[in-house]
Amino acid sequence: TRQPHSLACLPTCVWAVLKFLEREPDYEEIEELCLPGPFGALQYVALQSLREAGYEVDEVDDLEVVDIERSVSEGRPLIVSLP
């Protein structure tokens, strides 16, 4: 699935991570759970909605490049959000 429009960054990333983890995500369901608004999905709202739907969501502050490399090498893809 390609990002269907410019405001679908987060749901597209979530879908890609689930696909990488060999799940069978339904893009429309993921997009709906991310609760996109007129300016896209609000991260904290989307993450809470995904948690409530039963998805495991971890938030980590202050990642260093070495942390990202380790996570990816362990098969744990990340979605990175910059302020």
Side-chain angles (χ1 to χ4, degrees):
T1 292
R2 298 188 83 156
Q3 185 172 325
H5 52 83
S6 63
L7 299 177
C9 302
L10 184 56
T12 303
C13 289
V14 170
W15 180 90
V17 166
L18 292 171
K19 191 75 171 167
F20 175 84
L21 296 172
E22 298 182 348
R23 303 222 184 140
E24 294 298 324
D26 176 68
Y27 180 81
E28 287 76 23
E29 176 188 351
I30 298 300
E31 185 174 41
E32 185 177 310
L33 286 171
C34 288
L35 303 168
F39 301 105
L42 295 175
Q43 180 178 323
Y44 69 94
V45 174
L47 297 182
Q48 184 61 35
S49 177
L50 289 163
R51 284 185 186 105
E52 289 172 2
Y55 290 96
E56 181 182 338
V57 177
D58 296 321
E59 290 181 81
V60 181
D61 294 324
D62 303 322
L63 280 178
E64 299 291 331
V65 172
V66 67
D67 299 319
I68 295 169
E69 290 171 341
R70 182 176 43 248
S71 183
V72 171
S73 73
E74 293 172 351
R76 295 184 58 227
L78 303 171
I79 299 173
V80 177
S81 174
L82 302 174

